[in-house]
Amino acid sequence: MTFHITVDGREIPVVPGQTVGAALHAAGVRSWRTTRFGGRPRGLFCGIGVCFDCLISVNGRPPERACLLEAEPGDEVTTA
Amino acid sequence: MTQDLTYDLVVVGGGPAGVAGALTAALAGLRVTLLDSGARLGGQYFRHAAVPRREPGLDRFLRQVRELGARADVLTRHQVWNVSREPDGDVTVHAHTRDASGERPVTLRARRLLIATGAHDRPLPFPGWDLPGVLTAGGAQALLKGGNVLAGRRVVVSGTGPFLLPVATGLAGAGARVLGVYEAGGGLGLARHPLLALGKAAETAGYAAALVRHRVPYRPRHAVVAAHGEREVEAVTVARLDADWNVLTTSIVACDTVAVGYGFVPQIELGTQLGCDTRAEPDGSVVLAVDAAQRTSVPGVWAAGEPTGVAGWAQAEVEGRIAGRAVVADARPQAVRGSDGVLLRRRSRGRAFGAALHEAYPVRPGWQGWLRDDTLVCRCEEVPLARVREAQELGATDARSVKLLARPGMGWCQGRICGYAVSCLAGEPPAPPRRPIAQPVTLGALSEAAPPDAGSQDDPAH
Ligand SMILES: Cc1cc2nc3c(=O)[nH]c(=O)nc-3n(C[C@H](O)[C@H](O)[C@H](O)COP(=O)(O)OP(=O)(O)OC[C@H]3O[C@@H](n4cnc5c(N)ncnc54)[C@H](O)[C@@H]3O)c2cc1C
Ligand code: FES
């Protein structure tokens, strides 16, 4: 019942209903952007949409919170 | 999309408090709508995967959700970013949502509002806390409950409060190796855990048995005081602490994940936007002040669950039901059935439990000594401790001036994550939040819906 999304061209599995953040974390991708000043890697922190650490651009859209955004079949994300 | 319809009640938040309040009002025949930012109702405690696990408590909650869906408008994936009061006393609720056609604003009008927005974790900063693999305790729990995803394979749980126990046993039960529960407070150990004194013997025994079964050591007066790693956390420094949380001795524990939490921060900004009175809890959090009927100081506005004080999901549900009944009494006195007696007694017991927890798990000041000059206090604006101290030397004597000079709390999270730590560093109790925009919205949605003064200096989305 799983489907796939691609991360930097690599396919990772998603269970329907999982967020982009949960799917990435489950696939061992635990950071996907770097900070503005220090270039520090960031991924999930609060897990519930509060901290904004997990911002990610899906299919070229402006950044959204990966922990809130449900993954859709064929979504493409790139990490920094 | 603007609707002409005026609801009898709009509820913000679909956790145990919001669902109980909305259902109580809907069953009495009121026109109710409930909004939640999540994809599914449940809030934090009843968060569940798209195919929910079978479990009596969750089954019961989901039955309530189905009943609610049959009697009220339930709007999931709707984030409320502002509420305001009209001259006639109605409340206007501004939300936005995203669907296949993109982002769009949603504006609702209601005679009454119930704020049931829950809480978020309260982290404390420490060196390396921004490394990937360090999550809040609630974040680790949310991954597990919402997506059946393990936060990591070799996990360390640290912080203070009874919430660390379900997080650790949940992770261990799902297959993670939990290397230890490091409880900064509670010098007495699990056998004398404060939950026991609060009449939660069965619950505590259950957690204790689960920790033993999975061979998870429980170490009171210990905490993770630093995380180490290049691109991810690879190890932590665990310290033995004195009663004030100063470091006594340290050791290194190799791990791939840290789940850390020092209590919760109630989400009250919708109440403060409306000018609701607040009060301080013994643990330093600011909550909305409510009367016996869960009514805030602003007419037509009720609050239930964690925005009025943290005391667990069952208490949140009781408060939601009391608020729902009070709303019915206000809208349709003839529809009120029975008396509130049992609910009120349960609520007083729950409040006593919450107060006892706050007393049993205070945050002690020694944590400030865990920080180094370059430790980030604010993750969003990347403000290290040294900049906070500099601002204080320049004369910033309170948290607000520290914020203006060094900019902690001025980023995307609007100080939700660092606000508590910054006020501790400034040596003052946390102040009620001032956030005209409760949830950052896209500029597009803003320009379509917002009054011209909706933004402000406190809005990081400028
Ligand atoms: C991350 C996390 C995980 C937790 N896990 C557990 C657990 O496993 N076990 C346990 O005993 N306790 C847990 N807790 C404590 C838990 O919050 C309470 O026991 C209980 O869920 C409180 O119920 P509530 O109805 O007050 O709020 P919640 O259950 O938090 O419900 C509030 C709801 O309001 C929504 N919301 C908030 N603001 C807005 C807005 N502006 N617009 C739209 N919707 C909004 C939220 O998305 C949420 O669904 C957790 C807390 C956190 C922060
Ligand atoms: S992890 Fe905090 S907002 Fe997504």
Side-chain angles (χ1 to χ4, degrees):
Chain A
M1 244 191 34
T2 59
F3 60 84
H4 289 83
I5 63 175
T6 62
V7 185
D8 301 330
R10 173 165 83 95
E11 288 206 330
I12 63 165
V14 179
V15 178
Q18 266 179 348
T19 64
V20 172
L24 288 171
H25 201 90
V29 181
R30 307 218 293 179
S31 69
W32 44 83
R33 74 170 177 101
T34 51
T35 58
R36 273 175 302 164
F37 305 119
R40 311 261 302 163
R42 290 290 162 84
L44 295 178
F45 180 61
C46 76
I48 61 165
V50 171
C51 73
F52 288 81
D53 267 5
C54 66
L55 289 174
I56 197 164
S57 168
V58 178
N59 302 332
R61 291 194 304 259
E64 293 166 85
R65 284 164 284 179
C67 68
L68 296 183
L69 184 68
E70 275 182 86
E72 308 268 359
D75 276 350
E76 289 181 18
V77 305
T78 42
T79 68
Chain B
M1 179 186 73
T2 304
Q3 301 186 341
D4 305 328
L5 188 102
T6 300
Y7 287 96
D8 295 319
L9 173 67
V10 165
V11 180
V12 185
V19 167
L23 184 57
T24 304
L27 286 170
L30 272 61
R31 294 193 75 141
V32 178
T33 188
L34 178 145
L35 302 95
D36 193 286
S37 49
R40 297 177 280 280
L41 299 191
Q44 304 310 343
Y45 185 78
F46 290 118
R47 183 182 292 279
H48 54 279
V51 180
R53 61 196 181 280
R54 298 304 309 272
E55 176 184 301
L58 182 60
D59 287 348
R60 171 178 167 273
F61 177 81
L62 293 176
R63 275 199 302 278
Q64 292 173 356
V65 167
R66 280 192 296 274
E67 279 204 47
L68 181 65
R71 291 177 170 82
D73 294 338
V74 174
L75 305 177
T76 52
R77 299 186 178 90
H78 278 64
Q79 305 219 347
V80 175
W81 56 270
N82 179 271
V83 286
S84 57
R85 213 152 161 266
E86 303 301 326
D88 64 2
D90 280 2
V91 176
T92 302
V93 177
H94 297 279
H96 72 114
T97 188
R98 197 174 70 81
D99 52 27
S101 57
E103 285 264 352
R104 66 189 164 82
V106 174
T107 306
L108 302 171
R109 208 178 157 98
R111 301 236 188 281
R112 295 164 201 83
L113 176 73
L114 172 57
I115 299 170
T117 43
H120 58 78
D121 282 272
R122 186 167 74 180
L124 291 176
F126 55 86
W129 73 307
D130 65 324
L131 277 173
V134 179
L135 282 88
T136 63
Q141 188 78 333
L143 267 179
L144 192 58
K145 284 189 164 179
N148 288 320
V149 171
L150 270 182
R153 289 202 178 83
R154 297 172 59 79
V155 189
V156 166
V157 178
S158 181
T160 195
F163 181 49
L164 301 182
L165 297 174
V167 172
T169 54
L171 286 166
R177 175 102 174 78
V178 180
L179 302 163
V181 178
Y182 300 103
E183 161 61 66
L188 296 171
L190 204 50
R192 313 260 291 274
H193 198 281
L195 279 181
L196 290 173
L198 296 168
K200 302 268 172 180
E203 206 177 317
T204 317
Y207 291 135
L211 292 180
V212 169
R213 192 162 62 243
H214 298 291
R215 295 168 202 234
V216 177
Y218 178 84
R219 299 265 182 270
R221 287 275 165 79
H222 281 70
V224 167
V225 297
H228 316 283
E230 277 299 317
R231 297 221 24 116
E232 288 191 10
V233 60
E234 290 158 18
V236 290
T237 300
V238 171
R240 192 161 65 83
L241 305 174
D242 70 11
D244 277 330
W245 295 11
N246 300 301
V247 172
L248 297 175
T249 56
T250 63
S251 57
I252 300 284
V253 176
C255 62
D256 59 39
T257 302
V258 185
V260 57
Y262 287 87
F264 295 103
V265 179
Q267 308 208 81
I268 64 169
E269 44 270 283
L270 299 183
T272 51
Q273 283 174 0
L274 289 163
C276 297
D277 286 347
T278 60
R279 64 181 179 83
E281 289 269 85
D283 77 335
S285 32
V286 185
V287 298
L288 298 177
V290 290
D291 69 6
Q294 300 292 134
R295 201 186 299 258
T296 70
S297 62
V298 172
V301 181
W302 281 257
E306 289 177 329
T308 70
V310 172
W313 74 269
Q315 177 74 350
E317 183 185 313
V318 168
E319 290 178 0
R321 284 173 63 190
I322 293 172
R325 289 174 59 85
V327 164
V328 174
D330 186 62
R332 283 198 192 183
Q334 70 282 7
V336 178
R337 303 265 177 280
S339 94
D340 279 351
V342 175
L343 287 175
L344 295 179
R345 279 194 297 282
R346 280 179 59 196
R347 184 180 57 186
S348 337
R349 278 202 304 276
R351 285 211 175 135
F353 171 68
L357 280 188
H358 288 315
E359 304 232 318
Y361 295 98
V363 170
R364 305 295 306 157
W367 68 265
Q368 297 182 28
W370 308 346
L371 276 52
R372 296 187 317 233
D373 281 352
D374 64 350
T375 303
L376 295 187
V377 172
C378 166
R379 306 162 66 95
C380 303
E381 293 296 293
E382 298 172 77
V383 181
L385 177 67
R387 285 238 299 283
V388 171
R389 294 300 185 214
E390 240 169 67
Q392 288 175 308
E393 274 154 31
L394 286 172
T397 50
D398 59 357
R400 193 171 157 71
S401 346
V402 169
K403 188 169 154 179
L404 288 173
L405 278 177
R407 299 190 61 79
M410 302 287 261
W412 275 107
C413 91
Q414 298 180 288
R416 286 179 172 87
I417 298 298
C418 70
Y420 175 73
V422 170
S423 51
C424 291
L425 291 169
E428 65 179 44
R434 270 189 292 191
R435 298 188 188 111
I437 298 184
Q439 294 274 339
V441 286
T442 61
L443 294 176
L446 256 186
S447 60
E448 279 175 62
D453 62 348
S456 89
Q457 299 98 314
D458 283 2
D459 160 29
H462 46 78

